[in-house]
Amino acid sequence: MMEPGANTPQDLEQKQENSIQTADSDSTLSSNSSSIISRAWRHMLEPVRPSGFVEFELLILTFCIGIQDAISFPDFHCFASNQTGNTVFLMLAIILPHFNGEMFITANIGAALGFFLLGSWVTGQLGHIVGPRLRIWLVGCNFIQSCLVFAAAATQYIHGMDIEGSDAIIPIALLAFASGSQVVQSRTFRMTEISTAMATAAWVDLVIDPALFKLKNRPRTRRAMFLTTLIAGSLAGAGIYRTAGSWVAILVSAAGKMIVTCMYMLNSTEKPKKTTGEDAC
């Protein structure tokens, strides 16, 4: 007779089977988790393919730039992204310094142009090293740009609007650096019709297009959408500036950029080109 509570051979065998099943289950969960992480990492390292969805993302960024420039000139007498005007004003400041404080603020213009170029240089050179179309680079770079614009909004909210001094230079620098980085990033898709910032070349290329009135003309359509979106962003920025203040307009711009950051996760992947034996030679 067996003692009460003693394990029978069948109980021992059942416990062993349960232990094996539990170990197999844990191993499967661990394997699935590793597989998900591995797939997510591969997804982040894939190059993004230029597409209609990319065009939509660039137009959102264009809208955000329009908002920023609409508030930067009345607040700081310079442009955060439009460096044509800043360059001309800077030359005027050299030849006609007595206009400083009346027509423009020399320090603000210098900060805007300098940090725009710095943002362009840093983004462009690092992009050459990392890979300008890699998803991880696009997401990370746009995330940093969004954070810079959020910081500019916070600076405006905390310190208010000062036309001169460090309280003016800091938001200008943040917006200009983010703008320069954004323009460089947009060029990696080789959609030159949507620069996300500069309108002069787009206006000229639009009106001189020999196929301007043709129904199917993708470059013409891109330029028209870019200019329309830039105008809409500028009007929205001016409206928000008048009703709620510049920090709210900057906040809206930052939110738009952060949305694009998330959207980059959904872009299709650029497939590697197939090469024949003759092409390989």
Side-chain angles (χ1 to χ4, degrees):
M1 176 180 284
M2 296 185 62
E3 296 180 4
N7 290 326
T8 64
Q10 291 82 359
D11 292 337
L12 292 174
E13 184 177 353
Q14 184 63 37
K15 287 182 179 180
Q16 187 176 9
E17 289 179 0
N18 290 341
S19 177
I20 292 173
Q21 289 176 357
T22 301
D24 289 342
S25 178
D26 292 341
S27 176
T28 301
L29 289 173
S30 177
S31 176
N32 289 339
S33 177
S34 299
S35 177
I36 292 172
I37 294 173
S38 178
R39 288 200 301 269
W41 182 245
R42 285 199 304 269
H43 180 69
M44 294 301 293
L45 294 179
E46 291 173 340
V48 169
R49 180 178 66 87
S51 62
F53 194 59
V54 169
E55 290 181 13
F56 180 58
E57 291 165 335
L58 294 180
L59 290 174
I60 294 176
L61 294 176
T62 299
F63 186 85
C64 296
I65 281 288
I67 293 175
Q68 291 179 30
D69 271 344
I71 67 95
S72 63
F73 191 79
D75 269 4
F76 309 117
H77 290 196
C78 69
F79 296 100
S81 62
N82 183 3
Q83 300 309 316
T84 302
N86 287 340
T87 302
V88 173
F89 280 138
L90 193 60
M91 296 306 103
L92 285 174
I94 295 173
I95 305 300
L96 303 169
H98 58 279
F99 282 137
N100 181 37
E102 179 183 341
M103 183 181 296
F104 47 76
I105 308 296
T106 305
N108 294 359
I109 294 170
L113 180 58
F115 278 94
F116 181 91
L117 294 176
L118 180 62
S120 301
W121 178 75
V122 171
T123 304
Q125 297 304 320
L126 287 179
H128 294 319
I129 298 170
V130 176
R133 285 194 201 170
L134 288 187
R135 195 183 312 276
I136 191 170
W137 171 248
L138 293 172
V139 171
C141 189
N142 213 71
F143 177 77
I144 293 172
Q145 294 170 24
S146 303
C147 290
L148 293 175
V149 181
F150 274 122
T155 303
Q156 286 285 83
Y157 176 74
I158 294 170
H159 299 288
M161 197 283 290
D162 286 326
I163 197 169
E164 293 185 81
S166 60
D167 289 342
I169 295 294
I170 291 173
I172 291 171
L174 293 170
L175 293 174
F177 189 98
S179 297
S181 179
Q182 175 181 305
V183 172
V184 171
Q185 194 179 52
S186 69
R187 295 178 70 86
T188 63
F189 294 109
R190 297 177 183 174
M191 295 182 184
T192 55
E193 302 87 358
I194 308 176
S195 69
T196 73
M198 288 74 72
T200 305
W203 280 116
V204 174
D205 290 339
L206 177 66
V207 297
I208 68 171
D209 190 342
L212 177 61
F213 299 107
K214 286 188 177 180
L215 183 63
K216 293 183 178 180
N217 183 348
R218 195 66 179 173
R220 180 274 324 275
T221 303
R222 283 177 177 169
R223 294 186 191 103
M225 289 191 303
F226 160 63
L227 292 169
T228 301
T229 306
L230 186 64
I231 291 170
S234 301
L235 290 173
I240 298 171
Y241 179 86
R242 185 177 65 177
T243 57
S246 60
W247 75 271
V248 178
I250 299 173
L251 188 66
V252 171
S253 177
K257 290 178 68 64
M258 191 62 78
I259 289 172
V260 174
T261 299
C262 299
M263 290 173 66
Y264 277 138
M265 302 290 291
L266 308 176
N267 286 80
S268 57
T269 302
E270 189 170 40
K271 303 298 181 184
K273 294 181 179 179
K274 294 181 179 180
T275 56
T276 62
E278 295 179 358
D279 294 333
C281 295

